[in-house]
Short mmCIF file of all heavy atoms in Angstrom, two decimals:
data_model
loop_
_atom_site.label_atom_id
_atom_site.label_comp_id
_atom_site.label_asym_id
_atom_site.label_seq_id
_atom_site.Cartn_x
_atom_site.Cartn_y
_atom_site.Cartn_z
N PRO Z 14 15.84 47.89 -47.28
CA PRO Z 14 16.86 47.27 -48.19
C PRO Z 14 16.58 45.74 -48.38
O PRO Z 14 16.96 45.18 -49.36
CB PRO Z 14 18.15 47.45 -47.41
CG PRO Z 14 17.90 48.50 -46.33
CD PRO Z 14 16.50 48.58 -46.14
N SER Z 125 21.41 53.15 -48.67
CA SER Z 125 21.41 51.75 -49.25
C SER Z 125 20.69 51.95 -50.58
O SER Z 125 20.93 51.00 -51.52
CB SER Z 125 20.51 50.87 -48.43
OG SER Z 125 19.23 51.35 -48.17
N ASP Z 126 19.97 53.06 -50.89
CA ASP Z 126 19.30 53.10 -52.20
C ASP Z 126 20.08 53.90 -53.27
O ASP Z 126 20.29 53.45 -54.43
CB ASP Z 126 17.86 53.64 -52.10
CG ASP Z 126 17.85 54.98 -51.54
OD1 ASP Z 126 18.84 55.43 -50.85
OD2 ASP Z 126 16.77 55.58 -51.55
N GLY Z 127 20.76 55.00 -52.84
CA GLY Z 127 21.56 55.75 -53.85
C GLY Z 127 22.94 55.17 -53.86
O GLY Z 127 23.52 55.01 -54.91
N SER Z 128 23.51 55.08 -52.62
CA SER Z 128 24.81 54.45 -52.57
C SER Z 128 25.99 55.07 -53.19
O SER Z 128 26.96 54.54 -53.61
CB SER Z 128 24.83 52.97 -52.94
OG SER Z 128 25.59 52.13 -52.19
N PRO N 143 24.33 50.39 -63.07
CA PRO N 143 23.19 49.46 -63.01
C PRO N 143 22.15 49.93 -61.97
O PRO N 143 22.56 50.49 -60.87
CB PRO N 143 23.81 48.09 -62.46
CG PRO N 143 25.18 48.54 -61.97
CD PRO N 143 25.58 49.88 -62.49
N GLY N 218 29.14 34.35 -51.48
CA GLY N 218 27.90 34.05 -50.70
C GLY N 218 27.02 35.29 -50.66
O GLY N 218 27.38 36.41 -50.60
N GLY N 219 25.73 34.93 -50.49
CA GLY N 219 24.74 36.01 -50.34
C GLY N 219 23.81 35.84 -49.23
O GLY N 219 24.03 34.99 -48.29
N ALA N 220 22.65 36.51 -49.26
CA ALA N 220 21.69 36.56 -48.20
C ALA N 220 21.17 35.12 -47.92
O ALA N 220 20.76 34.81 -46.78
CB ALA N 220 20.47 37.41 -48.54
N GLY N 221 21.17 34.23 -48.91
CA GLY N 221 20.72 32.86 -48.72
C GLY N 221 21.61 32.07 -47.68
O GLY N 221 21.13 30.97 -47.35
N ALA N 222 22.76 32.58 -47.37
CA ALA N 222 23.50 31.88 -46.31
C ALA N 222 22.59 31.78 -45.00
O ALA N 222 22.85 30.94 -44.16
CB ALA N 222 24.82 32.66 -45.96
N SER N 223 21.74 32.74 -44.87
CA SER N 223 20.70 32.77 -43.83
C SER N 223 21.20 33.15 -42.41
O SER N 223 20.58 33.79 -41.69
CB SER N 223 19.97 31.46 -43.60
OG SER N 223 19.46 31.03 -44.97
N SER N 244 31.31 38.35 -51.54
CA SER N 244 30.03 38.50 -50.99
C SER N 244 29.15 39.42 -51.77
O SER N 244 29.54 40.20 -52.65
CB SER N 244 30.26 39.03 -49.49
OG SER N 244 30.62 40.41 -49.59
N THR N 245 27.81 39.40 -51.34
CA THR N 245 26.88 40.44 -51.80
C THR N 245 26.65 41.44 -50.69
O THR N 245 27.00 41.14 -49.47
CB THR N 245 25.54 39.83 -52.17
OG1 THR N 245 25.00 39.25 -51.01
CG2 THR N 245 25.69 38.90 -53.40
N ARG N 246 25.88 42.45 -50.94
CA ARG N 246 25.78 43.47 -49.87
C ARG N 246 25.01 42.94 -48.69
O ARG N 246 25.38 43.35 -47.56
CB ARG N 246 25.08 44.68 -50.43
CG ARG N 246 25.35 45.94 -49.44
CD ARG N 246 24.97 47.17 -50.20
NE ARG N 246 23.60 47.34 -50.30
CZ ARG N 246 23.00 48.38 -50.82
NH1 ARG N 246 23.75 49.34 -51.44
NH2 ARG N 246 21.71 48.53 -50.94
N PRO N 247 23.96 42.18 -48.82
CA PRO N 247 23.27 41.76 -47.55
C PRO N 247 24.19 40.93 -46.55
O PRO N 247 24.07 41.12 -45.34
CB PRO N 247 22.17 40.85 -48.08
CG PRO N 247 21.97 41.31 -49.49
CD PRO N 247 23.17 41.79 -50.00
N ALA N 248 25.11 40.16 -47.14
CA ALA N 248 26.05 39.45 -46.31
C ALA N 248 26.95 40.42 -45.52
O ALA N 248 27.31 40.20 -44.40
CB ALA N 248 26.93 38.57 -47.09
N MET N 259 32.98 42.45 -50.68
CA MET N 259 31.76 42.74 -51.51
C MET N 259 32.22 42.90 -53.03
O MET N 259 33.00 43.74 -53.37
CB MET N 259 31.00 43.92 -51.05
CG MET N 259 29.70 44.01 -51.75
SD MET N 259 28.63 45.37 -51.12
CE MET N 259 29.28 46.78 -51.83
N ILE N 260 31.53 42.17 -53.82
CA ILE N 260 31.76 42.17 -55.25
C ILE N 260 30.57 43.00 -55.91
O ILE N 260 29.46 42.80 -55.41
CB ILE N 260 31.76 40.75 -55.87
CG1 ILE N 260 32.95 39.96 -55.36
CG2 ILE N 260 31.80 40.83 -57.42
CD1 ILE N 260 32.96 38.48 -55.70
N GLY N 261 30.88 43.82 -56.87
CA GLY N 261 29.84 44.49 -57.60
C GLY N 261 30.03 45.93 -57.80
O GLY N 261 31.28 46.47 -57.59
N GLN N 262 29.02 46.66 -58.26
CA GLN N 262 29.15 47.99 -58.72
C GLN N 262 29.82 48.88 -57.70
O GLN N 262 30.69 49.64 -57.94
CB GLN N 262 27.72 48.52 -58.98
CG GLN N 262 27.70 49.92 -59.51
CD GLN N 262 26.41 50.60 -59.07
OE1 GLN N 262 25.49 50.03 -58.45
NE2 GLN N 262 26.31 51.84 -59.43
N SER N 263 29.37 48.76 -56.43
CA SER N 263 29.97 49.60 -55.39
C SER N 263 31.06 48.87 -54.59
O SER N 263 31.45 49.32 -53.50
CB SER N 263 28.94 50.30 -54.48
OG SER N 263 27.93 49.28 -54.07
N GLY N 264 31.35 47.66 -55.01
CA GLY N 264 32.39 46.88 -54.28
C GLY N 264 33.56 46.62 -55.33
O GLY N 264 33.98 47.48 -56.09
N VAL N 275 26.60 31.57 -54.31
CA VAL N 275 25.90 30.59 -53.43
C VAL N 275 24.82 31.47 -52.67
O VAL N 275 25.20 32.48 -51.96
CB VAL N 275 26.78 29.93 -52.42
CG1 VAL N 275 25.93 29.01 -51.54
CG2 VAL N 275 27.91 29.17 -53.09
N GLY N 276 23.60 31.22 -52.85
CA GLY N 276 22.53 31.79 -52.08
C GLY N 276 22.45 33.32 -52.37
O GLY N 276 22.22 34.18 -51.49
N LEU N 277 22.67 33.61 -53.64
CA LEU N 277 22.46 35.04 -54.09
C LEU N 277 21.60 35.04 -55.34
O LEU N 277 21.54 34.06 -56.10
CB LEU N 277 23.84 35.65 -54.29
CG LEU N 277 24.83 34.97 -55.08
CD1 LEU N 277 24.70 35.21 -56.62
CD2 LEU N 277 26.27 35.45 -54.68
N SER N 278 20.97 36.21 -55.61
CA SER N 278 19.90 36.24 -56.53
C SER N 278 20.28 36.80 -57.95
O SER N 278 19.39 36.82 -58.80
CB SER N 278 18.72 37.17 -56.02
OG SER N 278 19.20 38.46 -55.84
N GLY N 279 21.65 37.09 -58.09
CA GLY N 279 21.99 37.59 -59.37
C GLY N 279 21.60 39.01 -59.70
O GLY N 279 21.48 39.35 -60.80
N GLU N 280 21.44 39.81 -58.64
CA GLU N 280 21.13 41.17 -58.88
C GLU N 280 22.18 41.85 -59.67
O GLU N 280 23.43 41.60 -59.41
CB GLU N 280 20.95 41.80 -57.49
CG GLU N 280 20.32 43.15 -57.52
CD GLU N 280 18.87 43.18 -57.96
OE1 GLU N 280 18.09 42.37 -57.45
OE2 GLU N 280 18.54 44.05 -58.69
N GLN N 282 23.57 44.75 -59.71
CA GLN N 282 24.59 45.47 -59.04
C GLN N 282 25.78 44.57 -58.50
O GLN N 282 26.81 44.99 -58.46
CB GLN N 282 24.08 46.22 -57.86
CG GLN N 282 23.47 47.54 -58.21
CD GLN N 282 22.01 47.67 -57.95
OE1 GLN N 282 21.42 46.77 -57.45
NE2 GLN N 282 21.42 48.78 -58.18
N HIS N 283 25.39 43.24 -58.25
CA HIS N 283 26.48 42.37 -57.91
C HIS N 283 27.20 41.79 -59.17
O HIS N 283 28.35 41.77 -59.21
CB HIS N 283 25.81 41.22 -57.02
CG HIS N 283 26.82 40.13 -56.75
ND1 HIS N 283 27.84 40.27 -55.80
CD2 HIS N 283 26.90 38.81 -57.20
CE1 HIS N 283 28.57 39.17 -55.77
NE2 HIS N 283 27.97 38.29 -56.63
N ILE N 296 24.11 28.29 -56.96
CA ILE N 296 23.47 27.38 -56.12
C ILE N 296 22.47 28.17 -55.39
O ILE N 296 22.81 29.18 -54.69
CB ILE N 296 24.47 26.69 -55.12
CG1 ILE N 296 25.50 25.96 -55.87
CG2 ILE N 296 23.71 25.74 -54.13
CD1 ILE N 296 26.75 25.57 -55.08
N ASN N 297 21.14 27.91 -55.65
CA ASN N 297 20.13 28.67 -55.08
C ASN N 297 18.88 27.81 -54.84
O ASN N 297 18.58 26.99 -55.71
CB ASN N 297 19.76 29.84 -56.09
CG ASN N 297 18.94 30.92 -55.46
OD1 ASN N 297 17.83 30.61 -54.92
ND2 ASN N 297 19.34 32.08 -55.54
N SER N 298 18.11 28.07 -53.78
CA SER N 298 17.04 27.25 -53.40
C SER N 298 15.84 27.46 -54.28
O SER N 298 14.89 26.81 -54.26
CB SER N 298 16.73 27.39 -51.96
OG SER N 298 16.48 28.70 -51.65
N ASP N 299 15.83 28.62 -55.02
CA ASP N 299 14.66 29.06 -55.80
C ASP N 299 14.94 28.86 -57.30
O ASP N 299 15.78 29.50 -57.89
CB ASP N 299 14.45 30.59 -55.59
CG ASP N 299 13.35 31.09 -56.35
OD1 ASP N 299 12.61 30.37 -57.09
OD2 ASP N 299 13.12 32.37 -56.35
N SER N 302 14.95 31.78 -59.59
CA SER N 302 15.89 32.81 -59.33
C SER N 302 16.57 33.42 -60.59
O SER N 302 17.07 32.61 -61.42
CB SER N 302 16.96 32.45 -58.35
OG SER N 302 17.98 33.55 -58.22
N ASP N 314 18.94 23.97 -54.78
CA ASP N 314 19.02 23.30 -53.38
C ASP N 314 19.25 24.33 -52.32
O ASP N 314 19.70 25.42 -52.59
CB ASP N 314 20.13 22.28 -53.39
CG ASP N 314 19.90 21.18 -52.31
OD1 ASP N 314 18.91 21.32 -51.56
OD2 ASP N 314 20.71 20.28 -52.21
N ASP N 315 19.00 23.93 -51.10
CA ASP N 315 19.35 24.75 -49.98
C ASP N 315 20.81 24.70 -49.67
O ASP N 315 21.44 23.58 -49.48
CB ASP N 315 18.63 24.20 -48.74
CG ASP N 315 18.92 25.06 -47.40
OD1 ASP N 315 19.89 25.69 -47.41
OD2 ASP N 315 18.06 24.96 -46.54
N CYS N 316 21.55 25.85 -49.87
CA CYS N 316 22.95 25.75 -49.79
C CYS N 316 23.46 25.22 -48.41
O CYS N 316 24.57 24.63 -48.49
CB CYS N 316 23.54 27.17 -50.13
SG CYS N 316 23.09 28.44 -48.95
N ARG N 317 22.73 25.41 -47.44
CA ARG N 317 23.27 24.98 -46.10
C ARG N 317 23.33 23.44 -46.15
O ARG N 317 23.99 22.91 -45.29
CB ARG N 317 22.39 25.51 -45.03
CG ARG N 317 22.54 27.09 -44.90
CD ARG N 317 21.52 27.70 -44.02
NE ARG N 317 20.13 27.37 -44.56
CZ ARG N 317 19.03 27.76 -43.98
NH1 ARG N 317 19.02 28.24 -42.83
NH2 ARG N 317 17.88 27.46 -44.60
C1 FAD M 401 23.25 51.78 -55.69
C2 FAD M 401 23.33 50.34 -55.21
C3 FAD M 401 24.63 49.82 -55.29
C4 FAD M 401 24.76 48.43 -54.88
N1 FAD M 401 25.93 47.85 -55.02
C5 FAD M 401 26.06 46.59 -54.74
C6 FAD M 401 27.34 45.88 -54.87
O1 FAD M 401 28.35 46.48 -55.29
N2 FAD M 401 27.37 44.56 -54.63
C7 FAD M 401 26.28 43.85 -54.21
O2 FAD M 401 26.36 42.61 -53.99
N3 FAD M 401 25.10 44.52 -54.02
C8 FAD M 401 24.99 45.73 -54.29
N4 FAD M 401 23.79 46.43 -54.13
C9 FAD M 401 22.62 45.57 -53.61
C10 FAD M 401 22.00 44.73 -54.69
O3 FAD M 401 21.02 45.54 -55.34
C11 FAD M 401 21.25 43.45 -54.10
O4 FAD M 401 20.36 43.95 -53.12
C12 FAD M 401 22.22 42.48 -53.51
O5 FAD M 401 23.22 42.19 -54.53
C13 FAD M 401 21.35 41.24 -53.34
O6 FAD M 401 22.21 40.23 -52.65
P1 FAD M 401 21.78 38.76 -52.49
O7 FAD M 401 21.65 38.15 -53.85
O8 FAD M 401 22.75 38.06 -51.57
O9 FAD M 401 20.39 38.79 -51.74
P2 FAD M 401 18.91 38.50 -52.30
O10 FAD M 401 18.62 39.27 -53.50
O11 FAD M 401 18.02 38.59 -51.04
O12 FAD M 401 18.97 36.97 -52.73
C14 FAD M 401 19.22 35.94 -51.89
C15 FAD M 401 19.00 34.70 -52.67
O13 FAD M 401 19.26 33.55 -51.84
C16 FAD M 401 18.38 32.56 -52.15
N5 FAD M 401 18.35 31.71 -50.98
C17 FAD M 401 17.69 32.00 -49.81
N6 FAD M 401 17.84 31.05 -48.91
C18 FAD M 401 18.65 30.15 -49.48
C19 FAD M 401 19.23 28.86 -49.12
N7 FAD M 401 19.00 28.39 -47.88
N8 FAD M 401 20.07 28.22 -49.97
C20 FAD M 401 20.24 28.68 -51.18
N9 FAD M 401 19.69 29.82 -51.65
C21 FAD M 401 18.96 30.54 -50.81
C22 FAD M 401 17.07 33.25 -52.52
O14 FAD M 401 16.29 32.38 -53.42
C23 FAD M 401 17.54 34.54 -53.19
O15 FAD M 401 17.68 34.28 -54.59
C24 FAD M 401 23.60 47.78 -54.43
C25 FAD M 401 22.40 48.39 -54.40
C26 FAD M 401 22.25 49.70 -54.72
C27 FAD M 401 20.93 50.33 -54.67
#
Side-chain angles (χ1 to χ4, degrees):
Chain Z
S125 64
D126 58 345
S128 216
Chain N
S223 312
S244 67
T245 62
R246 200 166 73 183
M259 188 172 83
I260 295 170
Q262 183 209 356
S263 46
V275 184
L277 49 82
S278 63
E280 192 66 47
Q282 277 119 358
H283 174 73
I296 300 160
N297 193 305
S298 53
D299 174 9
S302 171
D314 200 358
D315 181 338
C316 63
R317 292 166 299 174

